[in-house]
Amino acid sequence: MEQVKCECGHVNPHGTAFCESCGKPLQDVGEKRLLDMRYEGSARRSQTYKRTIIDQIWAFFSSVKVGVALIVITLIASAIGTIFPQQMYIPPNADPAEYYEKQYGLAGKLYYELGFNNLYGSWWYILLIALIGVSLVICSLDRVVPLYRALKRQGVKRHPHFLERQRLFGVSRVNDPDDAIATLKERLAKQRYHVREEDGHLLAEKGRFSRWGPYVNHIGLIIFLIGAMLRSVPGMYIDRAMWIPEGETKEIPGTNGRYFLKSEQFIFETYQKGKENEAFNAAIDRVGNGMIAKNYQTNVVLYKRVGPVIAGAEPKLKKVKEYAIRVNEPLKFDGYALYQVDFRLGEPKAMSFQLTDKRSGASFGTVHIDLYNPKEEYDLGRGYRVKLLSYFPDFEFDEDGNPSTKSRVPNNPAFVFKMYAPDRPKGETSFVAIQQTIEPFGDNKYKMAFAGLETRNVSGLTVRRDFTLWILGIGGAIFMIGLIQGMYWNHRRVWVQRVNGELWIAAHTNKNWFGLKNELRRLLDGTGLTMPADRLEEGKKARQGGQAHGTA
Amino acid sequence: MVQLSSTLLYTAFILYLIGTFFFGGSIRDRRKEREGKDRWSQLGIAVTIIGFLAQLGYFITRWIAAGHAPVSNLFEFTTFFGMMLVAAFIIIYFIYRLSVLGLFALPVALLIIAYASMFPREISPLIPALQSDWLHIHVTTAAAGEAILAISFVAGLIYLIRVVDQSKPSKRTLWLEVVMFCLITTLGFVVVSTAFGLSGYEAKFTWVDKNKQKDEMIYELPALVGPHEGKLTKDSADRMEPFLEMPAIINAKKLNTVLWSLMAGTVLYIALRLLLRKRIAAALQPWVKNVNLDLADEISYRAVAIGFPVFTLGALIFAMIWAQIAWTRFWGWDPKEVWALITWLFYAAFLHLRLSKGWHGEKSAWLAVIGFAIIMFNLVAVNLVIAGLHSYAGT
């Protein structure tokens, strides 16, 4: 590798802008121009090598311009995704192809055809995020290594050219430079500067660690992105739905038969006027009494299976704990979390009918039908019995006009009964649905009179287990630490040097020049030393030439 | 307690208004270059602090009355955002002692609080999803972050008013006037809503929604545009008939409010232009002509440097933690989440451009204005127009 030797004797890597040790500009940047202090003028790979294809890729991704462009493209794409709801937020039974056009017209149709209905899961959006990730890694590596090297090797004694090309720079003549330097040294130390002295020159430095902030937060981001990427690995996380009716015990999906859950009760409460804090009355009045939800809760018992899983055999269960699952209060066990997410109130569970003589109204016994597990035949004794010929839990007429069922959930149960009595040994057929009875083969003597409906509430729970959460957590924490480190501290340096009987003072900070200037004023107050001038401001004033409406 | 709470908010509002005039006074004073201490600024900041304490009192008493932190609906959240804006201003003021910042930050806070007051103000009980300590933690931190970022906008605006050459029309003067027009339109919305609110205007329509269901819609402003197949009901028969009927996929009532605000904003803007005989920004220029541009730039940047980590913590990290607890997943691409991400990406780009590409001064000031526009979009449009899971914030 080519190297550049500075007149101070320090050997710098090829591409260095000014000497790592003494700060003498190695590349001529014209007279009196301020030094570009970003990355300490260090030799970055991306700026130095541009020959091979790898160099070019490296240079491409290490460019902040490219990074910002990626961020802005991602930003615009993300915004487009919020114009219409994403597919996951449209009703689950709707056909997206129709839904978008029907709800949002031509724009909706176009939105769907461009694939924006699943924008955040699209290959190109994920590619954008991945490119940002690559850019983060390369950008950071390209800068942090040479920056570390440059800051580590910086010398106390600086070349005069380095000092006079700093933004804050001033020259003082004092009678007793030793005394002035001693005072300054003491004051700098008091301001918690780390002061190094060499041949009567000073380098005071504080907050260097804040220079690592950006790289620390980039590491946090990369860890976070890795965590997010791991979610596509099967088994890293479980997301299952579970519907459980009151009174039932069910295996918890995703636990491989190890855990069971019993729902004792589902509770749905609303805010009722008179029972609540009076301050809520106005709000309750506006929305309607009993219209604002107060609580969704499932009281459950968690069981663990004891012993091995034997197919077909009834599992042996051991009670683990009782818990009330509420929104914001999931049940947690063994890395799993059970959330209250949905419910169905008053779902039909069982129906009762009485076999009745239509004319006399006399009843010959009650049939109790479990809507989830109906029997084929119900014997009422004394020669009366009822056969269930067909059962439609969610009754409708299909396209051909025949009775059929929409689903297995008993939302609208309908039955075809055959009623046997001592005087009707061949039986009478009756079709019974909610609020209607059809007698397909003429007038019957008997009927199945509705005698009651048993309902129950069903809780909709989500089962989750996520092995990526801790990675995301660590990534997020590191990101925050890096951000605070870089934003709430700054790296300040003050150089004090004797040059030809004068005292030269230069200062630099990576941000918050206002703070540094105030600090310098306090440091120099009463020492008789000249406050270094802000040469950036001076330059501007000179260019503006005193105009009232100059541009900066 | 509820009464006391509203009185305190009202007091704070008046005090901020007075504070604005004091800060204005301090600038006039300086123009005469009188010697001695800047009494106007001292009075201004004192009044602002008392106003802030009054609003803090509003916040605490309302918290006690409701039993939960008053950040659970659009009125409460936006008011809190205004309060945080004042808090951020006070802090920045004590760092930089720039009076002109008060002259611009307080009116922005006033506009925000006035805007908030146009939404239902009653104390609402918490729905199950909101019953969590994370409500206080997430919402307050996010609002604080956005408020600090808003100070960056205020400083950027001062920078632009000072620096944009008003001697001839250009793209820059045009865009600066657009910013002024948006601020004035917000005022227009407040004026129109207050005027018709005080008169108790109400027009009830029956209409047919996009699923062909009949429904009712109550307008609080005279209907310029009516809902799909909308008809005034009997008790509203004397109300104004709309000029235009909207298709079912457009929320006619919200569009109507937007149209009214734009109309009022335009009228106000034109009236001001006629009165001042120059651009609004040009009329403001003398107030900022003594501002040190580098200091304004520094404040704009510093506010982002302080606000960005707070915003990240509140609007993304705390948000994700709570979403994992309440909604079973830490991220769900809900519009509000996405716009928080967009805000974050934008300020990330801002910082990178500033640190590495040297976008200082005017470029940086324009970016600060755009950043604030994104925050406002997330506050206004995402709650009222896009409305996803966070839509409870709009009811």
Side-chain angles (χ1 to χ4, degrees):
Chain A
M1 201 191 281
E2 261 184 280
Q3 286 177 329
V4 188
K5 191 168 179 182
C6 175
E7 61 178 38
C8 72
H10 185 78
V11 179
N12 294 287
H14 174 62
T16 309
F18 48 84
C19 173
E20 289 173 330
S21 174
C22 76
K24 178 176 185 285
L26 298 174
Q27 296 162 356
D28 192 36
V29 282
E31 277 298 299
K32 300 228 167 156
R33 282 264 310 272
L34 292 184
L35 280 181
D36 183 357
M37 289 292 285
R38 277 182 294 142
Y39 321 116
E40 302 296 304
S42 57
R44 286 160 51 201
R45 186 191 194 285
S46 61
Q47 304 301 304
T48 315
Y49 303 99
K50 289 181 175 168
R51 274 196 308 255
T52 67
I53 187 102
I54 292 176
D55 290 341
Q56 279 165 7
I57 291 173
W58 183 273
F60 178 78
F61 280 109
S62 73
S63 150
V64 171
K65 209 189 269 175
V66 170
V68 170
L70 287 171
I71 291 176
V72 172
I73 295 169
T74 310
L75 183 159
I76 293 166
S78 305
I80 291 171
T82 63
I83 296 175
F84 297 130
Q86 291 290 296
Q87 194 169 319
M88 58 198 147
Y89 288 117
I90 72 170
N93 50 4
D95 175 15
E98 282 174 27
Y99 182 86
Y100 283 95
E101 189 175 357
K102 208 176 133 201
Q103 297 283 317
Y104 308 106
L106 192 63
K109 187 180 173 185
L110 200 67
Y111 199 76
Y112 175 77
E113 273 165 10
L114 289 170
F116 292 163
N117 54 320
N118 266 324
L119 188 142
Y120 305 113
S122 66
W123 63 269
W124 58 270
Y125 191 82
I126 292 168
L127 182 69
L128 273 175
I129 306 281
L131 288 177
I132 290 180
V134 172
S135 163
L136 277 172
V137 173
I138 293 182
C139 258
S140 304
L141 284 178
D142 190 54
R143 287 165 174 80
V144 73
V145 175
L147 179 66
Y148 177 79
R149 192 185 138 100
L151 284 175
K152 202 171 162 137
R153 297 185 186 193
Q154 62 176 331
V156 174
K157 186 174 173 350
R158 288 280 159 151
H159 195 275
H161 283 334
F162 177 84
L163 294 178
E164 64 187 11
R165 289 184 181 191
Q166 291 299 316
R167 180 172 160 184
L168 286 179
F169 173 67
V171 175
S172 309
R173 285 170 205 282
V174 281
N175 298 332
D176 187 354
D178 287 332
D179 184 50
I181 285 186
T183 318
L184 262 184
K185 192 178 172 185
E186 194 187 313
R187 288 190 182 186
L188 283 162
K190 222 176 216 170
Q191 290 291 325
R192 273 178 272 167
Y193 276 90
H194 174 69
V195 187
R196 282 159 65 192
E197 192 170 3
E198 210 178 278
D199 306 333
H201 309 300
L202 293 185
L203 164 57
E205 188 177 8
K206 75 172 172 188
R208 192 199 283 184
F209 81 103
S210 83
R211 291 294 283 270
W212 315 127
Y215 311 105
V216 172
N217 80 45
H218 285 178
I219 290 171
L221 272 183
I222 291 158
I223 294 174
F224 189 93
L225 288 178
I226 290 172
M229 220 165 64
L230 278 177
R231 297 175 72 74
S232 57
V233 176
M236 282 312 278
Y237 81 106
I238 291 168
D239 176 12
R240 304 283 292 270
M242 175 181 192
W243 286 94
I244 184 164
E246 286 172 328
E248 276 191 25
T249 305
K250 278 191 163 184
E251 182 189 321
I252 301 175
T255 63
N256 301 321
R258 287 188 298 128
Y259 286 97
F260 287 74
L261 194 74
K262 182 179 183 198
S263 163
E264 298 280 7
Q265 193 190 4
F266 173 76
I267 301 168
F268 170 53
E269 290 168 293
T270 57
Y271 288 97
Q272 304 286 338
K273 214 175 157 186
K275 288 187 193 165
E276 312 295 339
N277 185 342
E278 276 179 24
F280 297 154
N281 282 354
I284 294 175
D285 278 342
R286 192 168 59 86
V287 183
N289 196 14
M291 295 297 285
I292 307 174
K294 184 182 184 183
N295 186 25
Y296 307 115
Q297 175 177 335
T298 308
N299 293 338
V300 297
V301 186
L302 177 70
Y303 294 100
K304 192 174 182 174
R305 185 198 288 264
V306 194
V309 182
I310 302 159
E314 195 70 4
K316 266 193 189 165
L317 299 178
K318 196 179 115 220
K319 182 167 156 182
V320 181
K321 65 171 156 186
E322 288 178 22
Y323 192 80
I325 303 179
R326 304 173 68 229
V327 179
N328 273 310
E329 289 168 27
L331 164 63
K332 291 185 181 169
F333 60 95
D334 195 13
Y336 292 92
L338 278 178
Y339 297 87
Q340 175 68 50
V341 289
D342 207 349
F343 62 93
R344 290 199 293 260
L345 285 181
E347 187 168 277
K349 177 180 184 287
M351 273 176 121
S352 306
F353 296 94
Q354 282 178 339
L355 181 63
T356 312
D357 185 316
K358 276 161 76 178
R359 197 172 308 156
S360 71
S363 164
F364 304 97
T366 306
V367 174
H368 185 82
I369 303 166
D370 182 340
L371 295 173
Y372 284 88
N373 194 14
K375 286 197 279 188
E376 273 182 31
E377 192 174 313
Y378 299 84
D379 193 354
L380 300 172
R382 289 179 294 143
Y384 294 93
R385 63 195 169 91
V386 176
K387 235 178 159 170
L388 183 57
L389 295 182
S390 306
Y391 168 48
F392 309 98
D394 197 356
F395 168 71
E396 64 167 2
F397 284 109
D398 66 13
E399 285 156 1
D400 305 327
N402 295 320
S404 67
T405 187
K406 258 189 279 191
S407 69
R408 302 190 58 162
V409 182
N411 292 322
N412 181 24
F415 312 86
V416 179
F417 292 115
K418 193 140 199 181
M419 303 167 285
Y420 296 91
D423 55 345
R424 291 287 186 278
K426 280 186 181 164
E428 291 178 338
T429 308
S430 173
F431 174 84
V432 180
I434 289 173
Q435 306 246 326
Q436 65 171 335
T437 304
I438 298 166
E439 295 172 353
F441 305 115
D443 208 12
N444 288 347
K445 181 176 184 236
Y446 296 95
K447 69 169 181 182
M448 296 297 282
F450 176 73
L453 173 71
E454 228 178 272
T455 62
R456 61 183 178 182
N457 300 329
V458 185
S459 306
L461 305 176
T462 289
V463 185
R464 285 251 182 196
R465 190 187 57 182
D466 199 330
F467 290 136
T468 67
L469 287 183
W470 64 273
I471 304 175
L472 300 171
I474 289 174
I478 293 177
F479 176 74
M480 259 335 278
I481 291 169
L483 206 54
I484 289 170
Q485 185 180 341
M487 292 294 184
Y488 292 174
W489 275 271
N490 35 72
H491 179 213
R492 296 177 180 176
R493 272 172 297 175
V494 181
W495 294 274
V496 184
Q497 225 154 296
R498 297 163 207 244
V499 181
N500 307 327
E502 295 167 334
L503 216 56
W504 287 21
I505 300 178
H508 181 263
T509 181
N510 62 337
K511 55 172 74 81
N512 189 9
W513 289 86
F514 180 81
L516 175 64
K517 281 190 256 178
N518 279 346
E519 193 170 60
L520 274 181
R521 253 177 237 120
R522 281 198 302 276
L523 283 166
L524 299 177
D525 185 39
T527 56
L529 295 166
T530 330
M531 170 70 194
D534 187 336
R535 303 168 73 220
L536 198 66
E537 254 171 50
E538 279 179 352
K540 255 182 228 164
K541 272 183 200 143
R543 271 197 309 271
Q544 281 173 18
Q547 281 173 3
H549 308 300
T551 54
Chain B
M1 194 64 96
V2 181
Q3 188 54 47
L4 172 67
S5 173
S6 347
T7 312
L8 282 170
L9 182 59
Y10 192 66
T11 312
F13 188 85
I14 302 291
L15 287 171
Y16 295 156
L17 201 60
I18 298 171
T20 309
F21 287 113
F22 279 135
F23 282 119
S26 92
I27 287 154
R28 284 210 176 266
D29 208 23
R30 228 174 258 169
R31 273 200 268 172
K32 289 175 203 151
E33 288 181 8
R34 258 202 262 153
E35 285 300 310
K37 276 192 174 175
D38 184 5
R39 292 234 172 268
W40 286 102
S41 290
Q42 286 176 341
L43 274 170
I45 194 69
V47 169
T48 309
I49 290 171
I50 298 169
F52 175 73
L53 291 177
Q55 200 177 354
L56 199 64
Y58 140 82
F59 187 75
I60 293 166
T61 46
R62 194 171 165 105
W63 189 328
I64 294 168
H68 59 80
V71 286
S72 67
N73 60 30
L74 196 57
F75 161 71
E76 291 176 339
F77 175 79
T78 313
T79 315
F80 181 77
F81 175 57
M83 179 166 110
M84 285 291 105
L85 186 61
V86 174
F89 159 67
I90 293 172
I91 293 167
I92 300 276
Y93 179 82
F94 279 109
I95 300 177
Y96 293 100
R97 303 268 174 188
L98 189 64
S99 308
V100 69
L101 202 62
L103 184 64
F104 286 83
L106 288 179
V108 172
L110 281 166
L111 261 185
I112 286 170
I113 296 170
Y115 170 80
S117 308
M118 299 303 114
F119 295 92
R121 264 173 291 176
E122 67 259 21
I123 297 180
S124 31
L126 295 182
I127 60 165
L130 294 182
Q131 295 165 12
S132 165
D133 286 336
W134 287 101
L135 171 68
H136 323 150
I137 303 169
H138 155 61
V139 180
T140 52
T141 326
E146 289 182 349
I148 303 170
L149 293 172
I151 293 292
S152 153
F153 156 73
V154 173
L157 190 63
I158 292 171
Y159 190 101
L160 292 174
I161 293 173
R162 160 96 158 78
V163 93
V164 168
D165 181 6
Q166 295 286 353
S167 62
K168 54 183 186 292
S170 65
K171 256 191 204 162
R172 295 147 81 216
T173 58
L174 176 72
W175 281 109
L176 202 51
E177 287 308 288
V178 170
V179 175
M180 294 298 149
F181 179 74
C182 289
L183 292 172
I184 290 169
T185 301
T186 313
L187 186 66
F189 167 71
V190 172
V191 170
V192 166
S193 306
T194 312
F196 285 104
L198 286 175
S199 72
Y201 187 91
E202 200 179 282
K204 205 186 264 182
F205 284 91
T206 56
W207 69 294
V208 179
D209 72 10
K210 59 188 169 194
N211 299 321
K212 302 198 167 63
Q213 300 290 315
K214 265 204 159 181
D215 207 349
E216 272 190 355
M217 195 182 264
I218 299 171
Y219 277 54
E220 278 105 26
L221 298 174
L224 301 168
V225 291
H228 182 56
E229 292 180 25
K231 286 187 187 71
L232 283 164
T233 58
K234 264 185 204 154
D235 39 330
S236 301
D238 58 329
R239 296 304 189 194
M240 195 178 97
E241 287 284 348
F243 296 109
L244 256 180
E245 187 184 301
M246 287 292 115
I249 53 169
I250 288 171
N251 186 325
K253 186 184 164 184
K254 284 175 183 168
L255 182 65
N256 191 54
T257 310
V258 171
L259 288 177
W260 267 105
S261 309
L262 283 174
M263 262 171 44
T266 311
V267 169
L268 279 172
Y269 180 81
I270 292 173
L272 274 173
R273 285 291 294 261
L274 289 175
L275 207 68
L276 297 165
R277 294 180 179 279
K278 53 176 105 162
R279 289 182 208 98
I280 310 288
L284 288 170
Q285 207 167 35
W287 295 87
V288 298
K289 76 167 198 236
N290 288 323
V291 173
N292 177 345
L293 281 178
D294 281 314
L295 190 61
D297 183 51
E298 170 102 27
I299 293 172
S300 179
Y301 171 47
R302 194 81 191 284
V304 176
I306 298 173
F308 186 67
V310 179
F311 178 81
T312 309
L313 192 65
L316 292 172
I317 295 185
F318 288 163
M320 285 193 214
I321 296 174
W322 190 17
Q324 180 73 28
I325 295 169
W327 293 330
T328 82
R329 81 289 179 289
F330 60 91
W331 192 261
W333 300 106
D334 174 66
K336 193 90 181 182
E337 290 174 343
V338 176
W339 277 93
L341 176 70
I342 290 171
T343 312
W344 184 80
L345 286 172
F346 180 82
Y347 281 103
F350 175 106
L351 288 169
H352 282 94
L353 285 171
R354 178 137 191 144
L355 291 173
S356 303
K357 290 270 126 205
W359 279 35
H360 293 240
E362 193 178 336
K363 279 180 180 169
S364 167
W366 283 113
L367 288 179
V369 171
I370 298 170
F372 185 69
I374 293 176
I375 290 176
M376 285 298 107
F377 185 84
N378 201 359
L379 180 67
V380 180
V382 175
N383 278 325
L384 301 179
V385 183
I386 301 181
L389 279 175
H390 279 79
S391 61
Y392 51 76
T395 56

